[in-house]
Amino acid sequence: MKLLIQQLIERLVALGFFVIGLFPKKNVIYFESMHGRQYSDNPRAIYEQLVSLCSDKKSPSSQSSSNEKSDLKLIWGVKKGFESDFVDAAVPYMTRFSLKWFLLMPRARVWVINTRTPLWLVKSKDTIYIQTWHGTPLKKIGIDVGLDNKSSLYEKYSRDFVKESARWNYLLAPNPYSKDVFKEAFQYSGKMVCCGYPRNDLLINEKNNVDLKRQIKENIGLSNKDERKIVLYCPTWRDNNRINSNRYRFDEGIDFEKWEMDFSKDTVLLVRGHYLTDYKGESDGNIINVSNYEDVNQLLLIADILITDYSSVMFDYSLLDRPLILYVPDRNEYVYRTRGIYFDIFTENKQLIAESKIELESKLEAILMKNATMSVLKTDNIANWEKGISSVKVAELIAKQINSK
């Protein structure tokens, strides 16, 4: 009965989106990150660039041409219960599945989104859907996840993914490697924007911005006088740790009590659970739960050392040329049974690998004592397009599309 009710609701929403989408488009750009849970990632960088662009055009000294849209509205879709970051940043938003959202999203001229959206959120042919995605993939994604798994669940997942990617008007790619993977994994044959990731402009342009780093540290409760090294622990989620249809158990992997005893004098540990996991650890000044911090790239900017596993943050962090540890105690399970990866990054980076807690502690001690050699991630097979102007390029593309209508 529950399933029947859900299917009925989805069909009604699909019908509503289709009908409302037939009305003339409004000069609205709709943003959404991580299913409405965050003010973050590529959509945030693009939004902030567009805000700057709109502000410049409203300036008295601006020489904007008369055909440029001056009444452009930028608005975010936010999942109920996740509004605080948007309120704090004074960012305009509407709650997903509210009446306002239901009436406005189908008539938006542009969608800027970094995850899949349900097919029953019907997109009209006049809406431009820019799919930014959310990382350079090491772990398998899209239909590649199900190639070795012929269950009905994965077959439906793959079919829906292909239908979803057919709706995208543009897909962002941060590097040539990702471009090739995306084409196959998403079965995508549309237009691609090959200019790096807007979210990484921060890492390129603000790498040495002392004032910004100070502000971010204050935001998470760290004093600027605290001279300890900042270690960011940022693991991805595990398919085999499923709690329900959209949540996964956070596997700590690190003995936090032992960490406090051994490393709290020299380091402060930031723990960032993936948005799909249930990590709810307490913060005590030595170990800080930053899972709800709005933007992981700001955390990467202040981190002296990153500990991750199969997460795409490793590639973003490599832009900073700082020490990194790949902590993969479940490496064989994950690579050969749980998810799979596209290429063997571990052989090329043997010096960064820790497959046990003892190895992790040893690697960290070596970095802290400056005895580690080559502790920066090598990504020789991934040339990147990061120049610090990705958000500008995408904002210009959107402006061009808006002004051509």
Side-chain angles (χ1 to χ4, degrees), residues 52-218:
S52 176
L53 196 63
C54 291
S55 298
D56 289 344
K57 287 174 180 174
K58 288 178 182 177
S59 167
S61 61
S62 172
Q63 299 297 317
S64 301
S65 60
S66 59
N67 68 329
E68 289 178 329
K69 313 294 185 190
S70 59
D71 58 345
L72 192 62
K73 182 176 183 179
L74 313 179
I75 193 163
W76 285 73
V78 180
K79 182 179 175 68
K80 188 174 182 180
F82 291 83
E83 301 91 349
S84 60
D85 287 338
F86 297 86
V87 173
D88 293 344
V91 171
Y93 72 91
M94 53 188 177
T95 305
R96 293 168 83 231
F97 303 107
S98 65
L99 180 61
K100 180 179 179 180
W101 173 89
F102 190 80
L103 294 174
L104 194 56
M105 185 179 175
R107 295 185 66 187
R109 197 172 293 279
V110 181
W111 293 354
V112 181
I113 301 173
N114 67 352
T115 57
R116 289 193 304 145
T117 55
L119 294 173
W120 39 269
L121 299 184
V122 176
K123 183 190 87 73
S124 81
K125 62 181 178 59
D126 295 322
T127 292
I128 299 166
Y129 187 168
I130 299 177
Q131 173 57 251
T132 75
W133 204 241
H134 49 270
T136 294
L138 175 64
K139 61 188 180 189
K140 289 188 176 180
I141 56 173
I143 67 169
D144 291 344
V145 174
L147 287 179
D148 300 320
N149 188 330
K150 299 305 179 185
S151 71
S152 58
L153 177 65
Y154 272 112
E155 286 180 358
K156 182 180 184 306
Y157 169 85
S158 297
R159 286 197 307 271
D160 288 351
F161 218 126
V162 173
K163 290 178 183 177
E164 160 70 356
S165 68
R167 308 194 303 164
W168 303 341
N169 298 96
Y170 295 94
L171 171 62
L172 271 58
N175 45 61
Y177 157 78
S178 294
K179 178 182 177 181
D180 292 340
V181 171
F182 289 167
K183 282 183 176 180
E184 294 299 319
F186 302 150
Q187 291 292 286
Y188 181 72
S189 58
K191 296 177 182 177
M192 301 194 79
V193 183
C194 302
C195 64
Y197 262 166
R199 73 184 189 190
N200 287 338
D201 290 350
L202 178 79
L203 303 180
I204 299 291
N205 299 329
E206 308 299 341
K207 180 178 179 179
N208 299 312
N209 188 330
V210 175
D211 291 336
L212 177 58
K213 290 180 186 178
R214 181 187 298 117
Q215 182 59 58
I216 296 169
K217 288 176 70 173
E218 290 176 358

Side-chain angles (χ1 to χ4, degrees), residues 251-269:
D251 189 353
E252 292 183 351
I254 292 177
D255 186 335
F256 291 141
E257 288 186 9
K258 192 171 188 304
W259 181 286
E260 286 214 68
M261 288 189 294
D262 295 346
F263 295 108
S264 61
K265 180 182 177 182
D266 300 310
T267 71
V268 56
L269 179 65

Side-chain angles (χ1 to χ4, degrees), residues 214-281:
R214 181 187 298 117
Q215 182 59 58
I216 296 169
K217 288 176 70 173
E218 290 176 358
N219 290 346
I220 61 174
L222 280 177
S223 167
N224 196 53
K225 295 179 180 179
D226 192 334
E227 296 181 352
R228 293 179 296 174
K229 296 291 185 183
I230 296 176
V231 181
L232 175 61
Y233 177 43
C234 196
T236 191
W237 57 285
R238 303 294 196 275
D239 303 67
N240 56 347
N241 281 351
R242 181 184 290 269
I243 296 173
N244 54 43
S245 61
N246 57 10
R247 297 300 281 174
Y248 296 82
R249 186 181 74 256
F250 179 84
D251 189 353
E252 292 183 351
I254 292 177
D255 186 335
F256 291 141
E257 288 186 9
K258 192 171 188 304
W259 181 286
E260 286 214 68
M261 288 189 294
D262 295 346
F263 295 108
S264 61
K265 180 182 177 182
D266 300 310
T267 71
V268 56
L269 179 65
L270 310 183
V271 182
R272 172 78 171 193
H274 190 278
Y275 79 96
L276 290 177
T277 62
D278 65 341
Y279 181 65
K280 296 182 175 66

Side-chain angles (χ1 to χ4, degrees), residues 15 23 96 162 188-189 279 305 329 333 362 370 387 398:
L15 178 61
F23 286 83
R96 293 168 83 231
V162 173
Y188 181 72
S189 58
Y279 181 65
I305 303 166
E333 173 69 27
S362 176
K370 295 184 171 55
K387 305 296 181 185
I398 292 173

Side-chain angles (χ1 to χ4, degrees), residues 29-40:
I29 302 178
Y30 174 84
F31 297 85
E32 186 178 299
S33 180
M34 305 306 179
H35 306 289
R37 290 183 172 92
Q38 295 179 4
Y39 175 49
S40 68

